Amino acid sequence: MIGEATSSGGGGKDDSPAAVSGKKNKKPNYSRFTQQELPACKPILTPGWVITSFIVVGVVFIPIGLASLYASEHVVEIVERYDKDCIPPDYRNNSLHYIQTSETDKNCTMTINVPKHMKSPVFIYYELDNFYQNHRRLAHGMHKEFPFKSHLCCLWILKVEFSSVVDMIELTQFGARNLLFGKSPQKISLDKSENPEFVFIRMTTKVEKSARYVKSRSDKQLRSKASEGTTETCKPEAVTSNGQPIVPCGLVAWSLFNDTYKFSVKKEVLGVSKKNIAWKSDQEHKFGSDIYPKNFQNGSLIGGGKLNPSIPLSEQVDLIVWMRTAALPNFRKLYGKIEKDLQANTTITVTIENNYNTYSFGGKKKLVLSTTSWIGGKNSFLGRAYIAIGGLCLFLAVCFVFVYLLKPRPLGDPSYLSWNRNPSGQMN
Amino acid sequence: MDSQNPFEGEIYRRKGGNSVREVRHGSRGGDIELLGLSHKEIGDDDARLVYLNDPVKSNERYEFAGNSIRTSKYSVFSFLPRNLFRQFHRVAYIYFLIIAVLNQLPQLAVFGRGASIMPLAFVLSVTAVKDAYEDWRRHRSDRVENNRLAWVLVDDEFQQKKWKDIQVGEILKIQANETFPCDIVLLSTSEPTGVAFVQTVNLDGESNLKTRYAKQETISKIPEEEMINGLIKCERPNRNIYGFQANMEVEGKRLSLGPSNILLRGCELKNTAWAIGVAVYCGRETKAMLNSSGAPSKRSHLETRMNFETIILSMFLILLCSIVSICAAVWLRHRKDELDILPFYRRKDFAHGAPQNYNYYGWGLEIIFTFLMSVIVFQIMIPISLYISMELVRVGQAYFMIRDMLLYDEESNSRFQCRSLNINEDLGQIKYVFSDKTGTLTENKMEFQCASIWGVDYSGGRTISRNDPVQAVDGKILQPKMEVKVDPQLLELSRSGKDVKGAKHVHDFLLALAACNTIVPLVVDDTSDSPVKLLDYQGESPDEQALAYAAAAYGFMLTERTSGHIAINIQGERQRFNVLGLHEFDSDRKRMSVILGCPDKTVKVFVKGADTSMFSVIDRSLNTNIIHATEAHLQTYSSMGLRTLVFGIRELNNLEFEQWHLAFEAASTAIIGRAALLHKVANNVENSLTILGASAIEDKLQQGVPEAIESLRTAGIKAWVLTGDKQETAISIGYSSKLLTSKMTSIIINSNSKQSSRRSLEDALVTSKKLTITSGITHNTGASDAAAVNPVALIIDGTSLVHILDSELEELLFELATKCSVVLCCRVAPLQKAGIVALVKNRTRDMTLAIGDGDFPTSVRSIALCFPEPNFGEHKELRCANDVSMIQMADVGVGISGREGQQAVMASDFAMGQFRFLVPLLLVHGHWNYQRMGYMILYNFYRNAVFVLVLFWYVIFTSFTLTTAITEWSSMLYSIIYTALPTIVVGILDKDLSRRTLLKYPQLYGAGHRQEAYNSKLFWLTMIDTLWQSVAVFSIPLFAYWASSIDGSSIGDLWTLAVVILVNLHLAMDISRWSWITHAVIWGSIIATFICVTIIDAVPIFSGYWAIFHVAKTELFWLCLLAIVLAALIPRYVVKFLYQYYSPCDIQIAREAEKFRSPRELRNTKIETNPILGSPHR
């Protein structure tokens, strides 16, 4: 097969005597490539190489590890768990009820002692535990559509209950383009006097029913007003009971964290800056400046924080931070920054509005104040890992040196070849 | 080529004789029996009726194909459906498809639609483009072929017509050197005798001319002037190119037609000005088209093994998926009260009044859905891309094998051919080589050496015959093309005329040499004006050629052959002999005979054949001394490794002649059982012969055969030579080809019955055990040593094999044969060859290779049987009685190409010009291919598993909901872009050892025997390593980012990059040779990954928007990356080093030697090889 295919390419030179009978000479042309003789280096793991490489790794890794540890040690971090303490003693056995009713006072005050000098900016995080923001139902990432392409013309008969308000918004939200009765899709009026129980609406194109297994958010909706109605990926928080789209839709937004913290030192309020806590790229490109929260948390079940409808999404930094879903079930999110140094032994009073319900799933809530370093927050793991790897390499290097000295083997000695070894099969 | 030769060194290859031996009726092969002759009358139902020069009437039932051919598979419209249909025959694609379809179900949609179809779409479109291109080329060649022009008789005039318009029944005229457009029954030619010479090189690759005859009754007809009316009743189209059975009714006479009357499509008319014939089979019904089938596909040993590990991986996949779904179920169960309101779950949808379950199907269904979803997420655990990569790698490897200058044969101008692309790596594991002798080990160029005439041995001093007696014919001086060394004594005797004592026998003997054959003498047309013309003997048997040249050298020059007579120039005097009849060679009689009407009005039968068969028909009561002397000479000749033939003569008296003539006529026109009748006639006349003498022909060894056999034996490959030669001949060839050495202990088994076979086998087994016990300790160090220290050679003959094969003795023979390093089977009937291969193949997992040149003259019928027929069932190979069967039976079949028939090449997996190429093929390319492929499979398992495991670990941290931090696009691109190219390039280009080292130490081939590159231990080691590496990749970021504000996309990017860099560096660590291409693909892949990840993160609608830019700004990211790569690779590095240093395998030592040992020696060999490599340029 191949012979036929490639033979036409070869045989440029016919000056060889093999070109008998006027036939094309099929002799392959010589090139270092075709003869597999390209210049190449042939690395071999010699003891010298291996020992050197281990020493190099050890020498590089241990300082990096030490530097990371040092940096991590110099990060001052205060972690206060407050989910239990902020429940008044009366409700200790019924924390769920406490958090769910709107009648109880959710405020709670804590004092924090600053153990060491904290250089500004001091980052304020809230930390949630056992909260699966990466749960498939929540996790963002994939944009799901109904498994029919929008340009595929498919006919759907939708039964719309008359009681629900059938207006333009809802229909376009379903993607209806062409409605029954030949009416233009822009206007559809139903004569209420007919008082039918149902109206059948035939939609001929672009029916994007919500896919069942969605990641409950709509990145498209967040971007601009034009796609406000794109909520099909947001179930079960897509539309209100009367069909209005929810902005921002979806479970992720619905479960927005809504505890608030107020800090004061000796009755003097410590300002919390929310500047730059969200990614600039998110603010500029992912969250539109012309789209405003709408119908948010209006349903019968409140999942979390509410949003000010007069602020565009691109300015809702808490939402933006929340929507960048965490990788792991134990995560922190930036709440704000204190742009002021905190002296050692300062006592900070924190007034917490304890709204967010983690009691239903036994999650912990923590407030974290932390400075930062080049390595990030306080985490000694990487430093230790580097020291461990570096140390292991040095140890191996030493071992190999010993072993090499004790039991060397001449490289490339033909007497070691299996057929040259003596019959007893021993190596000497 | 030995295949034709179950008796002493005779080769007859008569394919175009007057008799039909076996006819296959179309593809309805149910009635095929190996020895059964066709008893089918061509009934009206079974026959096709062709009315001469009446295409309208011939075709009125519209059942005959037109002459346009179509080798292309698709048309523009049918391409898409048919190509897809064909592609989905592969299991791998079905797996892809199922995964893609599963992913389309809304409940299971894990990946986006685009991303999930991408892998399938990718492989489908690549293959489709390739197929489309190939088909376009076929279309183009079809068009060229169909539009060629031929002369067709229309309205009593020959007009040009396109090939595609030719119809059955039309009369065609073909000029010299033109190709026949369809299968044609010859009516008349430019030769008055009605002979046409054809070259069948396009059909079966044989370049010599064959003769075809027109029937006497039609020779004189000129179709333009007189209407020819007639009816040809012929068999249905079939693929037997050497058989044709028909009869023709012309002017009320019924004539029988055979294979010598038909011209086949694709053949060329030579040395004949024109030929006229009637088209009988057209287009796809021609024998040439019916025969254009490809090589059978085989599956490589490595791939079969790999499938086992693939099953382990699928179980592992199922295990992973089960863990995920069970854990998910436990989680759901555990939280069942919270599910309704859990912020990140919220089972109930309250949007529309009454709360309903949203996206929750009860936990039974949830488990099933989770399971299926995890199959989708972990799909690449089954390395489907591996199958595609393997194909690409094999194409690349084949490219280099074809281009290898060491595998190019100058003599025949033939390159190496890879006909089967599935078994490249098998070449590295061959344990048994089954070789044919003639044409494979030897050149198949026969040279006449000795003669024993009337009890006198003429093998004295050799001088080149200059043929000084100029032999003039029509003013031309003829000189045989080939010069033969002659014995002066015999030369003198031959010139002395009949009167001298003993000269009569010499005369008869040389006459037999010159006449008793089927050689066609041809005067070579050279343009020079020299009156000396070269005489070329065209024949199908090199033995016959050698004999005819020898006869010419002694003054018996065959100068002319027509259908009725031959002319022999005897010592300058032209004599004409009538060829009254010719009994072709066949495998039952093992001899041929010719009945000549001599100028002196006597009728003589000349018979030649193998000694066994000849001595049974020679009248032993006469000339007993001479018979004894001849037998003694034969013994001597065959012990010199010569091929011997015995000649006999008998004069027929009138009565005998008449009897024979009647019987012969009746038999040769018979339609039913013609072959059997002819056989009987021949047996009757070949009887009570007087012995004339014997000839001995040397079959020269091919260049480099002894060295090649030596290398193969050193490499631990067991060589089996299967030959039809006599035992003595075989042993002497064995010694001259170094197959047998003086160090070896020979065990000879030569028995006549089952009992004696059993006894000798048992004795031999005891002997061989004794021999191997003394050297048995070496068994540990490698199987090859046992044989090398005290080698045993087994020589067994065909008669014993008859008793052993297909009986319980097979087991004994196998046991014995495995203890021998060399097995020489002599006097093997062609049919037994495949049986011997099967004996070994069915009992061991070691790989077998058969090499042969695939000649099959002994039994024409077998050819028909060798083409794969669906209804032949399992044992079709066994029915084929020649090398072809052996080649197809063995795991790897190698055909010797270039010189003789193409049949072996057609059936083989690889074809090359010379036997000695086997050494570079196996030792160099085989070794490389095996090492590369073995490593590639392991690496691909590792590469995919490590990625899947990283996904799996993450699933544990998402409450088993199959969220992936790594984006779906990266998941899909992982095996297409991120990591695909390096493994393919390494699979094609990496060389663990140089060619020089591999050829210097053939023992290195043992690595393949010991399965060093791919075995269970390596697989499990790799999997443990995979587990560790995946843990390292996953856990370092996990702990480094635990309880931090990292988002899923960022850590996903980190994992993506870490895995890709890791697997590429893992590969880099195992590369033996770093050329610029390797550098480019390894580093290029890593860079490409970075680019792709960046591009994916630059799309605002993806949730990971800009993540890579944010995370790459942090030092932590890069430190994690570095730590991951090192932590993951250190164990492998350490183990690899320790293993290589303290328990080095041969390959490792050889590599070190290559690099560190005596650079001077290295330089010297460089210089040696340089001229070879350099010479082709100038």
Side-chain angles (χ1 to χ4, degrees), chain B residues 1143-1163:
Chain B
S1143 169
C1145 59
D1146 296 340
I1147 292 173
Q1148 176 61 21
I1149 295 166
R1151 282 188 65 198
E1152 291 165 3
E1154 218 170 72
K1155 189 161 178 178
F1156 299 115
R1157 287 273 150 172
S1158 61
R1160 196 139 146 248
E1161 181 196 352
L1162 201 136
R1163 220 175 299 128

Side-chain angles (χ1 to χ4, degrees), chain B residues 46-67:
Chain B
D46 240 357
R48 71 158 52 191
L49 302 174
V50 178
Y51 298 91
L52 265 65
N53 199 18
D54 197 348
V56 181
K57 196 171 175 192
S58 300
N59 288 291
E60 65 188 353
R61 280 198 281 168
Y62 301 108
E63 58 189 15
F64 305 153
N67 200 36

Side-chain angles (χ1 to χ4, degrees), chain B residues 1013-1027:
Chain B
Y1014 185 83
N1015 51 47
S1016 299
K1017 192 179 129 207
L1018 276 179
F1019 173 77
W1020 288 112
L1021 270 178
T1022 309
M1023 284 300 125
I1024 292 169
D1025 188 30
T1026 307
L1027 202 65

Side-chain angles (χ1 to χ4, degrees), chain B residues 40-166:
Chain B
K40 277 210 167 165
E41 168 92 50
I42 305 179
D44 281 351
D45 296 341
D46 240 357
R48 71 158 52 191
L49 302 174
V50 178
Y51 298 91
L52 265 65
N53 199 18
D54 197 348
V56 181
K57 196 171 175 192
S58 300
N59 288 291
E60 65 188 353
R61 280 198 281 168
Y62 301 108
E63 58 189 15
F64 305 153
N67 200 36
S68 75
I69 53 153
R70 224 180 76 123
T71 55
S72 55
K73 291 186 185 123
Y74 315 107
S75 71
V76 176
F77 301 105
S78 70
F79 179 77
L80 205 62
R82 289 189 65 170
N83 185 257
L84 284 179
F85 180 73
R86 228 170 54 85
Q87 289 199 42
F88 277 112
H89 271 98
R90 310 168 116 170
V91 182
Y93 290 8
I94 299 209
Y95 177 79
F96 267 138
L97 185 70
I98 291 173
I99 295 285
V101 166
L102 274 184
N103 195 58
Q104 301 308 310
L105 299 178
Q107 289 88 348
L108 302 178
V110 185
F111 295 139
R113 203 164 54 227
S116 64
I117 312 182
M118 197 168 64
L120 183 63
F122 180 76
V123 292
L124 284 181
S125 56
V126 166
T127 318
V129 166
K130 194 194 92 204
D131 289 351
Y133 174 70
E134 280 174 3
D135 210 50
W136 175 72
R137 282 175 45 149
R138 267 184 239 120
H139 268 291
R140 209 175 48 174
S141 71
D142 285 355
R143 201 159 50 236
V144 171
E145 187 88 354
N146 284 334
N147 287 330
R148 289 170 76 168
L149 295 172
W151 293 96
V152 179
L153 186 70
V154 181
D155 303 331
D156 298 336
E157 203 182 348
F158 280 107
Q159 296 179 352
Q160 288 213 317
K161 211 171 171 184
K162 284 183 179 168
W163 277 25
K164 61 180 173 190
D165 300 324
I166 294 171

Side-chain angles (χ1 to χ4, degrees), chain A residues 2 24-27 35-36 41-43 61 134 136-137 141 212 237 241 327 379 386 409 412 418, chain B residues 346 351 359 402-403 408 410 415 932 954 962-963 991 1040 1074 1103 1119 1126 1141 1146 1151-1152 1155:
Chain A
I2 293 297
K24 197 157 89 176
N25 185 5
K26 289 192 198 154
K27 181 159 187 151
Q35 302 309 304
Q36 306 192 50
C41 91
K42 293 173 267 184
F61 267 49
N134 58 12
R136 180 150 211 91
R137 286 187 170 232
R212 309 295 292 271
E237 275 296 318
S241 54
N379 188 337
Y386 263 77
R409 174 175 76 84
S418 64
Chain B
R346 227 187 84 181
N359 208 350
I402 291 161
R403 294 297 170 107
Y408 166 76
E410 295 263 359
R415 285 186 184 194
R932 291 162 177 171
Y954 185 63
L962 296 163
T963 319
K991 285 162 58 178
W1074 283 87
S1103 58
L1119 288 181
L1126 273 154
Y1141 196 68
D1146 296 340
R1151 282 188 65 198
E1152 291 165 3
K1155 189 161 178 178

Side-chain angles (χ1 to χ4, degrees), chain A residues 42 56 118 154 172 223 229 270 312 346 361:
Chain A
K42 293 173 267 184
V56 167
M118 291 176 94
C154 48
T172 49
R223 289 188 68 199
L270 260 182
T346 322
F361 56 90

